[in-house]
């Protein structure tokens, strides 16, 4: 062990050396960077420092010097990949530098005014100073502004994906390591933040503050194209540690903590153990600890773990197990220093320090930095000294290979993905192709932020650029419209006959308004005319290229302008206000209804009657009618059978209900039910609320309205068993189109562009054409109808016993026999009992354009029925919402890979299931927030993540969620969504390094994994089963060249471009890239 302190290794001033506040060693170990009070960042050659005793030294000592701060620099750190260098100072700015491969063009001049305009050759010594000319050309790359006070410490994640800065403004600011955009600003601390450390497993980072706490934040490494909107739910607080710091002093300049290389412990500076200063060792997962390093007389300001693991004896002499692996006998080394000017070095196998060096400096020690090999330690002090400590072989142990570090971190889900050796020149070309798309997307987003791009790009529909008229209304009724079909844009039938003049260019809907505002004239106070300035952000005709985290279908599924789409990402930590209008009293007592205003007596005559009846303390009896509250009328008793009250009809118990395993609530008979035409959005039958009103209510006017008026009160014959007929009518702009009568009361209505349907209380269903002609004889069900929906020619009815019927009215057929809702209502978890058991409520029942049933439940689950497999499939559930990292979000980098379609899709094909999966996940989100189940499950997930064996839970659940999305999109035939989910899945597999799944996925896409067992279309295979033309490409069979509507070759090419940058997978991906001609741009 020896100490090296060269005379030239300092930040020299005119009278004394400046205070040195920070130091760090580059990942390759060749450079030492220091920061001091002179406002300079200096880079030194470590080789020159190690050989300082060999005189004379002909090698360059100082490699570069940068002065871009206007104050004292407190911290400086190299990025983990060695590409960037960051510094933070008391000017509230973080500067990021990059090494320019070109040689420096000029030298650094001194402060003398006489030499400011002088330029000399590179080899000329610096004028006005004693510094040597720069050897390396480090230039400023970014200036990051986000703090309101001094920046005290910096830290890079181990994959260099993020940069985190902390300061005296109590903020923790997270920056992207790719674009250096501010991703998040965290204000969790209550006082100055003075220390920062990163988990080597790349799962957490910890910050130390003068509020006497250490806060641990969990994060997921963001991608190159991530924005602040994407990372809204990232960088969440995991825990707060305050036990070892309850009485810690507030006089320290730094609280620089360190994370052990095996990921098990955090060494926290400025802790106390009773009245004694110490370094607290905090255990990972439980975030507590009873180990303290005691021995320093003053507060410890900085501690640093050696980046390598050590063994007590040489590696070749270590015992090995049966599998040939070394037995775990490794230790870690930590160095501590602070205000007592002493340096101590500890090893985890010894209870006492290995080395104690007192009075190493004249003032407090400010920072410590280990070399990458763990053999050398650099120390900086506020007296201006920079000292190198070199340990001999075996003095602190014998370092082991980095593979042992990776094995120790693997149990926490860490891995050095993409850092392998390139397989060859073809693999390197593939890697460049893969990264080219990501960087193009990142540059495009930065251009949008800076306002560089103003021209609106053409809308891309499934890879094809198609002109789209600027309208935002999706209308399935009459008139001109734009229909979104499976991610493709097409004009409605009413537009087909018009000339295609607008197909040549895209018009700007705001152009005329923008020109008018540009020339808007205003008159000032003195009477002069001026043109009012127009704010740059007032109008934006171009579509923003910024990624959005919400999961949206290929076409928006807003209905009539209703705000159905979630505007914020899922935040399960906040309570959900689900009380009705009026608050809790309105929920318990109900909202008051107004008294009926009689015709011709608008002066409140009814109120006078109520006041008259209330004399002498009497309480008037009021009846709640459809029009309001009225005084109860006395009625004569009828000697025959009593009339069935309206509020309990139908009251007859159906025999099927007494033996059914499932019972659903039957809707009441209402006096009036109305249904508007035009309830189809994104291929899903949307719910149009039934409207109740009296015959005098003219406030509800629709273009086309289907309306029924059920009889109320006693029949005209006066007998209870007689009922007046129900009157059905269709009006267009309040003008009658057709009318019909039914001898029984109607419960439900539905309709579309092809037919009208009504369900009655006796279980019968009537169907009419748009002109009022009856299409089919009444359909009779076993119980009362509960839900009635339609879409195109499909009709869905759910009965009170949970049976689902689907009919194709055009062909007068059904795609499958009636199916029961019992399996999805947890019937398997309940045994046959003599009493009813509560089950989840059915919140909605829908049809997609193929006639498949889509059901959502009150517990957040979403289901779809598969007519080919005759079984229900769960497509969405709360488990994904709380466990998956992809819930309610899209991967923005997928948009960088824009593949051109080569098979020429038919623009007039029906919209198959577009938006079904986002609709189900949106329903799950809403039900989760309302019911409050998310808080319980989130606490469960949070506790499991800290337990041994569950470290990879979040990662595995996220991958499983993407696989479930892909399977659901393939089953439903959602073409655009399948491609998006496939690319997200491929990117995650590459990031996780799952070689077996990658190999299997590529074999499926190329069609070589399974044998041809499904035959061709129309062939008799497997006992007569044939492949329907509408379901071609819905399985992984190699019988067709398409997969969910996409050419297999196109999907395979997109996946190869995503996976190409991962070197540990290039042995698998390069053969496919050669086959597709990706490398040679074929």
């Amino acid at each position: 062990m020896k100490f090296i302190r060269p005379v030239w290794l300092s930040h020299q001033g005119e009278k004394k050396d400046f205070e040195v506040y920070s130091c760090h060693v580059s990942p390759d170990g060749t450079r030492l960077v220091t920061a001091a009070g002179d406002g300079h960042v200096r880079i030194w050659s470590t080789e020159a420092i190690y050989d300082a005793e060999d005189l004379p030294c002909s090698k360059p000592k100082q490699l570069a010097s940068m002065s871009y701060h206007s104050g004292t620099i407190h911290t400086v750190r190299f990025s983990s990949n060695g590409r960037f260098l960051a510094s933070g100072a008391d000017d509230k700015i973080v500067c990021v530098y990059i090494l320019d491969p070109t040689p420096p063009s000029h030298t650094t001049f001194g402060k003398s005014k006489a030499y400011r305009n002088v330029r000399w050759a590179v080899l000329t010594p610096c004028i006005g100073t004693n510094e040597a000319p720069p050897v390396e050309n480090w230039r400023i790359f970014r200036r990051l502004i986000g703090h309101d006070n001094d920046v005290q410490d910096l830290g890079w994640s181990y994959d260099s994906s993020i940069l985190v800065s902390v300061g005296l403004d109590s903020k923790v600011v997270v920056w992207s390591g790719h674009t250096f955009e501010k991703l998040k600003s965290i204000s969790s601390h209550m006082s100055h933040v003075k220390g920062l450390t990163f988990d080597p497993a790349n799962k957490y980072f910890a910050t130390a503050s003068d509020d006497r706490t250490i806060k641990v934040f969990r994060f997921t490494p963001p991608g190159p194209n991530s924005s602040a909107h994407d990372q809204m739910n990232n960088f969440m607080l995991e825990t707060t540690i305050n036990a070892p710091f309850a009485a810690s002093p507030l006089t320290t300049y730094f609280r620089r903590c360190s994370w052990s290389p095996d990921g098990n412990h955090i060494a926290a500076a400025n802790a106390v153990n009773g009245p004694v200063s110490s370094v607290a060792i905090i255990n990972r997962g439980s975030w507590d600890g009873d180990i303290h390093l005691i021995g320093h007389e003053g507060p410890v300001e900085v501690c640093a773990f050696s980046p390598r693991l050590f063994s007590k004896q040489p590696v070749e002499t270590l015992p090995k197990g049966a599998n040939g692996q070394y037995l775990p006998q490794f230790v870690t080394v930590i160095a501590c220093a602070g205000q007592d000017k002493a340096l101590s070095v500890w090893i985890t196998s010894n209870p006492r320090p290995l080395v104690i060096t007192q009075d190493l400096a004249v003032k407090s020690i400010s920072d410590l930095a280990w070399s990458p090999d763990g053999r050398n330690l650099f120390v900086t002090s506020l007296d201006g000294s920079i000292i190198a400590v070199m340990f001999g072989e075996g003095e602190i142990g014998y370092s082991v290979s980095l593979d042992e570090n990776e094995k120790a971190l693997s149990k926490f889900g860490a891995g050095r993905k993409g850092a392998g050796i390139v397989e060859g020149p073809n693999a390197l070309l593939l890697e460049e192709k893969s990264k080219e798309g990501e960087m193009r997307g990142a540059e495009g987003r930065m251009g949008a932020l800076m306002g560089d791009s103003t021209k609106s790009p053409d809308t891309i529909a499934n890879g094809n650029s198609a002109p789209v008229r600027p309208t935002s209304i999706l209308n399935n009724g009459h008139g001109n419209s734009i229909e979104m079909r499976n991610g493709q844009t097409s004009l409605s039938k009413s537009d087909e006959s018009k000339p295609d003049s607008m197909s040549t260019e895209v018009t700007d809907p705001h152009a005329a308004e923008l020109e008018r505002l540009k020339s808007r004239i205003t008159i000032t106070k003195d009477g002069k005319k001026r043109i009012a300035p127009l704010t740059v952000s007032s109008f934006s005709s171009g579509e923003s290229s910024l990624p959005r985290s919400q999961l949206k279908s290929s076409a928006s599924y807003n209905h009539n302008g209703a705000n159905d789409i979630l505007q914020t990402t899922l935040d399960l930590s906040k309570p959900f206000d689900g009380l009705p209008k009026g608050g809790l009293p309105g929920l318990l007592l109900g909202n008051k209804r107004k008294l009926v205003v009689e015709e011709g007596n608008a002066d409140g005559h009814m109120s006078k009657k109520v006041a008259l009846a209330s004399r002498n303390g009497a309480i008037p009896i009021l009846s709640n009618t459809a029009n309001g509250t009225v005084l109860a009328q006395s009625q004569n008793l009828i000697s025959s059978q009593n009339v069935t009250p309206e509020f309990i009809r139908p009251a007859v118990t159906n025999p099927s209900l007494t033996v059914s395993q499932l019972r659903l609530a039957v809707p009441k008979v209402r006096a009036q039910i109305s249904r508007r035409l035009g309830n189809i959005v994104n291929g899903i039958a949307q719910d149009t609320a039934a409207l109740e009103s009296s015959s005098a209510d003219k406030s509800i006017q629709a273009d086309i309205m289907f309306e029924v008026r059920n009889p109320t009160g006693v029949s005209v014959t006066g007998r209870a068993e007689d009922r007046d007929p129900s009157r059905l009518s269709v009006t267009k702009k309040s003008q009658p189109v057709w009318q019909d009568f039914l001898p029984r009361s109607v419960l439900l209505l539905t309709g579309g562009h092809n037919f009208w349907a009504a369900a009655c209380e006796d279980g019968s269903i009537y169907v009419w054409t748009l002109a009022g002609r009856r299409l089919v004889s009444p359909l009779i069900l076993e119980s009362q109808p509960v839900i009635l929906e339609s879409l195109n020619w499909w009709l869905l009815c759910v009965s009170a016993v949970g049976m689902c019927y689907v009919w194709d009215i055009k062909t007068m057929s059904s795609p499958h026999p009636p199916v029961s809702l019992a399996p999805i209502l947890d019937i398997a978890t309940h045994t046959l009992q003599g009493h009813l058991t509560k089950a989840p409520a059915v919140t909605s029942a829908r049809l997609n354009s193929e006639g498949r049933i889509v059901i959502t439940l009150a517990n957040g689950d979403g289901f779809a029925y598969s007519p080919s497999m005759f079984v229900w499939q769960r497509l969405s559930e709360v488990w994904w919402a709380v466990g998956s990292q992809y819930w309610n979000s899209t991967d923005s980098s997928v948009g960088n890979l824009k593949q051109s379609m080569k098979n020429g899709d038919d623009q007039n094909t029906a919209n198959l299931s577009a938006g079904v999966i986002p609709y189900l996940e949106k329903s799950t989100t809403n039900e989760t927030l309302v019911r409050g189940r998310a808080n319980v499950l989130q606490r469960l997930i949070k506790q499991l993540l800290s337990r041994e064996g569950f470290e990879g839970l979040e990662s595995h659940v996220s991958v499983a969620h993407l696989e479930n999305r892909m399977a659901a999109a393939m089953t439903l035939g959602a073409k655009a969504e399948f491609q998006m989910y496939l690319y997200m899945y491929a990117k995650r597999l590459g990031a996780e390094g799952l070689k077996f799944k990658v190999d299997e996925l590529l074999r499926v896409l190329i069609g070589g994994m399974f044998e041809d067992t499904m035959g061709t279309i129309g062939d008799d295979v497997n006992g007569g089963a044939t492949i329907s033309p509408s379901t071609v490409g819905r399985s992984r069979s190699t019988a067709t060249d398409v997969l969910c509507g996409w050419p297999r070759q196109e999907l395979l090419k997109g996946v190869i471009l995503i996976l190409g940058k991962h070197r540990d997978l290039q042995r698998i991906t390069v053969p496919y890239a050669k086959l597709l001609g990706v490398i040679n741009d074929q």
Side-chain angles (χ1 to χ4, degrees):
M1 175 181 178
K2 61 180 179 179
F3 296 87
I4 301 177
R5 185 179 177 181
V7 178
W8 48 265
L9 187 58
S10 64
H11 289 247
Q12 298 178 0
E14 295 180 359
K15 295 182 179 180
K16 65 174 183 177
D17 295 343
F18 287 96
E19 300 90 347
V20 183
Y21 290 93
S22 182
C23 65
H24 198 236
V25 182
S26 63
D28 59 2
T30 60
R31 302 177 182 91
L32 170 70
V33 60
T34 57
D38 59 350
H40 282 72
V41 174
R42 302 183 187 275
I43 301 177
W44 313 87
S45 170
T46 56
E47 185 179 1
I49 298 174
Y50 299 151
D51 299 337
E53 58 183 356
D54 299 335
L55 298 177
C57 181
S58 60
K59 298 179 181 178
K61 303 171 184 177
Q62 180 175 300
L63 303 180
S65 176
M66 296 86 72
S67 178
Y68 293 96
H69 287 283
S70 60
T72 301
I73 305 176
H74 293 151
T75 177
V76 61
R77 296 288 183 263
F78 280 104
S79 63
S80 301
N81 56 14
R83 183 184 179 190
F84 298 107
L85 172 65
S87 63
D90 59 5
D91 58 0
K92 313 172 189 177
I93 296 177
V94 176
C95 291
V96 180
Y97 314 92
I98 190 172
L99 178 60
D100 195 330
T102 60
S105 58
H106 61 276
T107 61
T108 302
F109 292 94
K111 299 180 180 179
S112 175
K113 296 182 179 179
Y115 299 100
R116 284 185 178 177
N117 298 322
V118 182
R119 296 177 61 89
W120 294 81
V122 176
L123 298 180
T124 304
C126 295
I127 301 177
T129 66
N130 295 325
E131 297 182 4
V135 178
E136 297 179 343
N137 186 13
W138 287 84
R139 60 179 178 85
I140 189 73
F141 185 72
R142 289 286 188 274
R143 285 185 177 91
L144 311 181
I145 301 175
H147 284 276
D148 301 326
N149 210 327
D150 299 4
V151 179
Q152 286 293 102
D153 206 359
L154 293 170
W156 295 83
S157 63
Y158 275 74
D159 60 353
S160 299
S161 61
I162 60 173
L163 167 67
V164 178
S165 59
V166 298
L168 300 185
D169 55 358
S170 306
K171 289 183 180 179
V172 179
V173 184
V174 184
W175 313 87
S176 170
H178 307 280
T179 62
F180 294 100
E181 175 187 351
K182 183 165 73 172
L183 300 180
K184 196 168 187 178
S185 181
I186 307 172
S187 300
S188 299
H189 285 287
M190 305 302 293
S191 186
H192 309 324
V193 187
K194 297 181 176 179
L196 170 71
T197 183
F198 267 89
D199 171 24
N202 224 40
K203 303 295 181 183
Y204 303 97
F205 64 85
T207 57
S209 170
D210 273 352
D211 59 5
R212 295 187 171 98
T213 63
I214 282 184
K215 294 184 181 293
V216 182
F217 297 88
R218 169 179 286 273
F219 75 98
T220 301
N225 293 341
S226 297
S227 65
H229 191 68
D230 298 333
Q231 305 302 315
M232 186 178 299
N233 288 338
N234 202 355
F235 314 109
M236 304 304 293
L237 179 63
E238 176 74 11
T239 187
T240 299
I241 306 168
N242 49 24
F245 317 102
S248 62
L250 302 179
T251 59
T252 58
Y253 205 81
F254 299 106
R255 289 176 178 259
R256 285 172 168 157
C257 44
S258 180
W259 212 302
S260 64
D262 57 1
N264 287 324
H265 304 98
I266 301 176
N270 201 11
V272 291
N273 187 6
V276 182
S277 298
S278 68
V279 175
I281 305 299
I282 301 170
N283 299 321
R284 182 196 187 100
S286 61
W287 309 116
D288 58 2
D290 53 359
I291 301 177
H292 289 259
L293 306 182
I294 301 174
H296 285 269
E297 297 178 357
V300 177
E301 294 194 16
V302 56
C303 49
F305 273 102
S306 174
R308 302 292 289 268
L309 293 175
F310 292 86
S311 63
K312 295 181 180 180
Q313 49 187 330
V315 179
E316 56 273 9
T317 62
L318 291 177
K320 295 184 178 180
N323 56 357
Q325 302 292 333
Y326 293 113
L327 297 179
Q329 297 180 352
F330 306 128
V331 296
T332 56
V333 177
I334 180 175
C336 307
Q339 292 184 358
D340 60 354
K341 313 160 196 173
L343 171 67
S344 63
V345 180
W346 305 70
I347 187 170
T348 54
S349 59
N350 295 338
R352 296 182 178 276
L354 191 66
V355 176
I356 298 179
T357 304
Q358 295 182 346
D359 297 328
L360 186 62
V362 178
K363 294 184 179 180
S364 300
I365 296 177
S366 57
D367 205 358
L368 301 172
W370 288 90
S371 61
D373 59 1
R375 293 290 183 185
N376 307 308
L377 176 66
F378 293 92
V379 183
T380 60
S381 174
L382 298 184
D383 63 358
S385 60
I386 305 173
I387 304 171
V389 183
M390 301 180 64
F391 295 95
E393 183 70 18
E395 288 184 346
I396 58 174
Y398 298 88
S399 61
V400 298
S401 65
L402 289 176
D403 294 338
E404 300 300 332
N405 288 47
E406 295 182 9
K407 291 177 183 178
L409 296 173
S410 61
K411 63 180 179 180
F412 303 121
R416 302 181 66 182
K417 309 296 187 307
I421 301 175
V422 66
E423 293 291 334
N426 291 332
L428 192 58
L429 292 174
L430 177 60
E431 182 177 345
E432 293 178 356
K433 294 283 185 181
S434 177
K435 293 182 178 179
E436 181 180 352
E438 292 190 2
M439 294 308 299
R440 189 184 303 116
E443 293 170 358
R445 196 179 79 258
M446 288 301 297
L449 287 173
M450 300 302 295
D452 296 339
S453 176
T454 57
K455 185 176 179 181
S456 175
D458 294 341
T459 304
I460 302 300
N462 275 354
N464 287 336
S465 177
V468 180
R469 291 180 298 165
T471 180
S472 59
I473 302 177
L474 294 178
N475 181 18
N476 285 312
H478 300 290
N480 301 337
S481 63
I482 294 178
E483 298 181 2
M484 301 298 294
R485 294 180 174 176
N486 218 18
Q488 300 173 352
T489 310
S490 62
L491 299 178
S492 62
K493 294 183 179 180
S494 59
D495 293 337
E496 293 177 356
S497 60
K498 295 183 180 181
D500 55 351
S501 60
M502 59 181 147
S503 63
T504 59
E505 61 180 0
V506 179
T507 60
D508 188 354
H510 302 296
E513 182 70 10
L514 184 60
E515 292 298 328
R516 185 185 69 82
L517 290 177
K518 285 182 178 179
S519 59
R520 184 177 58 182
I521 300 176
T522 59
I523 300 177
T524 60
K525 294 181 179 179
D526 55 359
K528 297 181 180 180
K529 294 183 179 181
R530 294 288 186 269
I531 297 179
L534 177 64
T535 307
V536 176
S537 60
S538 297
F539 277 84
S540 178
S541 59
E543 182 180 352
S544 174
S545 60
L546 296 178
R548 298 175 175 87
S549 67
Q550 287 85 359
L551 177 59
K552 298 180 181 178
S553 60
S554 56
S556 171
Y557 46 87
N558 259 352
H559 175 61
N560 291 336
N563 191 13
D564 290 341
I565 301 179
L566 297 178
Q567 299 301 320
T568 58
T569 55
L570 183 62
D571 188 0
L572 303 179
S573 62
K574 299 179 180 179
F576 183 79
D577 185 8
L579 294 179
K581 182 179 181 181
L584 186 60
L587 178 64
L588 299 177
L589 304 177
N591 296 319
K592 295 182 179 180
R593 301 195 63 184
K594 295 182 179 181
L595 297 173
V596 174
V597 179
E598 297 181 359
E599 186 175 358
N601 294 298
D603 56 349
H605 186 67
M606 179 57 65
S607 299
K608 294 180 180 179
K609 290 183 179 181
V610 174
L612 185 63
S614 303
R615 290 185 305 176
N616 301 327
I619 299 177
I621 301 176
L622 303 177
S623 298
N624 190 13
T625 65
N627 302 324
T629 56
V630 299
L631 287 172
Q633 303 293 331
S634 61
Q635 297 182 356
N636 298 326
L637 293 177
I638 301 177
S639 57
S640 59
Q641 181 181 1
N642 293 333
V643 180
T644 304
E646 290 292 334
F647 60 87
I648 65 172
R649 293 185 60 241
V652 179
T653 302
N654 194 303
S656 62
L657 292 176
T658 60
V659 298
S660 174
Q661 297 179 348
L662 182 64
R663 302 184 187 181
L664 301 181
V666 179
K668 299 177 182 179
V669 177
R670 292 167 285 183
Q672 179 179 347
I673 309 173
S674 300
R675 183 93 176 192
R676 291 188 181 94
L677 178 64
N679 57 335
I680 305 170
V681 177
N682 276 359
I684 305 177
Q686 301 295 313
D687 187 17
T688 303
L691 306 172
E692 301 180 30
S693 63
S694 63
S695 59
D697 187 3
K698 302 297 184 182
S699 60
I700 301 174
Q701 298 289 340
D703 290 343
I704 300 180
M705 183 77 74
F706 186 25
E707 186 178 40
V708 61
R709 294 180 182 271
N710 290 316
T712 58
V714 185
S715 174
V716 294
T717 63
R719 300 194 309 166
E721 58 270 17
D722 294 337
R723 300 289 298 174
D724 293 342
S726 299
R727 180 163 56 93
L728 298 94
S729 62
V730 174
T731 59
K732 183 176 182 180
K733 295 183 179 179
S734 302
Q735 299 297 322
V737 178
W738 61 268
Q739 192 176 46
D740 201 353
F741 297 89
L742 294 179
R744 47 192 59 85
S745 297
V746 177
L747 296 180
L748 302 168
L749 294 177
T750 189
H753 296 173
N754 300 314
F755 64 88
W756 302 104
C760 300
E761 61 178 334
D762 64 344
S764 57
I765 299 178
Y766 296 80
V767 184
W768 297 268
T769 64
L770 295 181
R773 177 177 58 88
R774 296 203 179 189
L775 273 174
V776 64
S777 300
L779 309 175
I780 310 301
L781 305 183
E782 78 286 348
S783 60
Q784 293 90 344
V786 173
I787 299 175
L788 190 68
E789 291 289 343
S790 63
L791 178 65
N792 298 334
W793 285 100
W794 297 101
L795 178 62
L796 166 67
C797 182
V798 181
S799 66
V801 295
M803 298 300 294
C804 297
Y805 297 84
V806 179
W807 301 284
D808 187 349
I809 302 301
K810 185 176 183 179
T811 61
M812 298 297 176
S813 61
S814 177
H816 52 77
V819 57
S820 176
L821 292 177
I824 67 175
L825 296 179
D826 297 336
I827 192 67
T829 61
H830 303 288
T831 58
L832 295 178
Q833 304 179 35
H835 60 277
L836 296 177
T837 303
K838 185 178 180 180
V842 178
T843 56
S844 68
R846 301 286 187 265
L847 284 170
N848 75 337
S849 52
E850 286 186 328
R852 300 199 180 193
I853 310 171
V854 180
I855 301 290
T856 61
L857 302 182
N859 61 2
D861 292 353
F863 299 87
Y865 185 75
S866 174
S868 59
M869 301 178 66
F870 298 103
V871 71
W872 289 99
Q873 293 180 320
R874 183 185 290 110
L875 305 186
S876 177
E877 57 181 320
V878 184
W879 174 252
W880 306 127
V882 298
S884 173
Q885 298 170 344
Y886 292 94
W887 185 260
N888 199 32
S889 64
T890 56
D891 191 341
S892 57
S893 63
V894 175
N896 299 331
L897 296 169
K898 298 178 180 178
Q899 303 293 329
S900 60
M901 298 178 59
K902 300 180 181 179
N903 58 338
D905 291 336
D906 185 5
Q907 296 290 335
N908 297 322
T909 56
N911 184 2
L912 302 180
S913 310
V916 174
I917 301 175
Y919 165 76
L920 292 177
E921 294 193 351
K922 181 173 72 74
S923 175
T924 301
T925 299
N926 293 336
E927 294 297 336
T928 300
L929 294 175
V930 171
R931 308 287 170 176
R933 291 187 60 203
N935 292 330
V936 179
L937 289 176
Q938 198 173 40
R939 286 197 298 268
L940 173 63
I941 296 294
K942 188 175 181 179
Q943 293 176 0
L944 287 177
L945 288 176
S946 61
R947 294 178 56 185
E948 186 175 358
F950 290 89
E951 294 84 2
L953 174 65
E954 195 174 22
S955 175
H956 293 306
V957 172
S958 301
V959 173
H961 181 212
L962 292 178
E963 293 171 348
N964 185 76
R965 277 180 169 180
M966 289 173 53
M970 182 179 294
T971 301
L972 295 172
K975 178 181 177 181
E977 294 168 11
F978 175 77
Q979 185 196 42
M980 179 177 65
Y981 298 149
L982 174 65
Y983 288 167
M984 293 170 66
Y985 180 64
K987 183 179 179 181
R988 186 56 184 254
L989 292 184
E992 296 286 342
L994 303 177
K995 297 182 180 180
F996 293 105
K997 287 191 175 183
V998 169
D999 186 35
E1000 183 185 56
L1001 177 64
L1002 297 180
R1003 289 179 180 272
V1004 169
L1005 293 178
I1006 203 172
M1009 180 175 180
F1010 299 107
E1011 297 295 333
D1012 188 2
T1013 58
M1014 300 208 39
T1016 58
I1017 299 178
D1019 291 342
D1020 190 1
V1021 182
N1022 295 332
T1026 60
I1027 304 176
S1028 172
S1030 62
T1031 59
V1032 172
R1034 300 290 181 85
S1035 67
R1036 295 176 175 83
S1037 170
T1038 59
T1040 61
D1041 294 332
V1042 296
L1043 189 62
C1044 198
W1046 293 95
R1048 291 178 179 268
Q1049 183 176 355
E1050 184 172 344
L1051 294 178
L1052 181 61
K1053 185 176 180 180
V1055 172
I1056 288 297
L1057 287 176
I1058 293 176
L1059 297 175
K1061 65 179 180 180
H1062 299 283
R1063 294 185 176 180
D1064 53 342
L1065 300 175
Q1066 287 177 349
R1067 187 167 295 179
I1068 302 174
T1069 57
V1070 167
Y1072 291 93
K1074 288 182 179 180
L1075 180 64
L1076 298 175
V1078 175
I1079 299 177
N1080 300 324
D1081 287 331
Q1082 296 178 1

